[in-house]
Amino acid sequence: MGGLTRQGYAEVETLKPLQGQASMKIGALALAAHCTTETIRFYESAGLLPPPARTAGNYRQYDEQHLDRLRFIRNCRALDMTHAEIKTLLQLRDMPTSECGPVNALIDQHLAVIDRRIAELQHLRAEIRVLRDCCVAVHEVSDCKILQGISEMPADARLGRGRVGNT
């Protein structure tokens, strides 16, 4: 499994013996990146991973650059980044001589999203704690204060945590 690097972020491990090969088939790439072949195909179809060369027998042939890019994508996913964020970072990464200001801005926006989610989760925890504190003894379900409290919650309270449309 992945571990934390010296910088403190999660890194997807790869199998060292597979690195440095001139080319590898999709199964070897999946093994090296600790993912499935379906994941690789998905990232290709999403435009995050460039299509590989093909053999005369139409087998995909991946190289070290594919493995590096796939590792980068998977590390971004481990940081809970969206595909749009990853695509932007990949585009910026593909321009190594440009300035990193847009990278900083993207990370700042991602941190703001995380901060918002943390606040939502803290609010959710407080709501659930209030419900749990309603029931200090075991009763018949018909007298359950938790179930009554959930039934009596205003509809907008259930929708306020980024779940609009998710029923």
Side-chain angles (χ1 to χ4, degrees):
M1 295 305 256
L4 289 181
T5 65
R6 221 176 345 175
Q7 292 82 12
Y9 59 88
E11 180 178 352
V12 176
E13 291 180 17
T14 59
L15 299 176
K16 300 294 182 197
L18 294 176
Q19 292 181 349
Q21 289 185 5
S23 67
M24 61 187 106
K25 292 182 182 172
I26 194 168
L29 178 64
L31 186 63
H34 296 274
C35 68
T36 65
T37 57
E38 291 80 15
T39 297
I40 294 168
R41 288 186 194 105
F42 176 77
Y43 288 149
E44 284 178 23
S45 68
L48 297 175
L49 195 62
R54 299 273 186 158
T55 66
N58 206 28
Y59 288 103
R60 292 174 166 93
Q61 288 293 312
Y62 297 92
D63 58 24
E64 187 71 27
Q65 291 174 331
H66 286 99
L67 179 58
D68 179 59
R69 193 169 181 100
L70 183 56
R71 183 184 310 115
F72 184 86
I73 293 166
R74 294 199 14 100
N75 285 340
C76 287
R77 289 298 300 142
L79 296 170
D80 203 31
M81 292 186 179
T82 66
H83 287 178
E85 289 171 326
I86 296 169
K87 191 173 274 193
T88 299
L89 288 177
L90 286 168
Q91 290 168 348
L92 293 166
R93 187 176 182 237
D94 290 342
M95 300 182 300
T97 60
S98 59
E99 293 183 359
C100 69
V103 174
N104 294 338
L106 187 144
I107 294 300
D108 289 342
Q109 290 171 354
H110 191 65
L111 282 169
V113 168
I114 292 168
D115 289 341
R116 211 170 24 256
R117 283 176 36 205
I118 289 170
E120 290 170 356
L121 286 170
Q122 287 173 333
H123 179 74
L124 176 62
R125 185 181 192 291
E127 287 180 8
I128 292 174
R129 175 53 54 203
V130 167
L131 283 171
R132 180 60 185 97
D133 291 345
C134 289
C135 186
V136 293
V138 176
H139 302 284
E140 290 183 3
V141 170
S142 62
D143 294 327
C144 180
K145 300 297 182 199
I146 294 173
L147 295 178
Q148 291 172 8
I150 292 171
S151 295
E152 295 168 1
M153 287 174 62
D156 60 341
R158 290 188 297 270
L159 298 176
R161 288 178 294 281
R163 295 186 183 156
V164 176
N166 294 344
T167 54

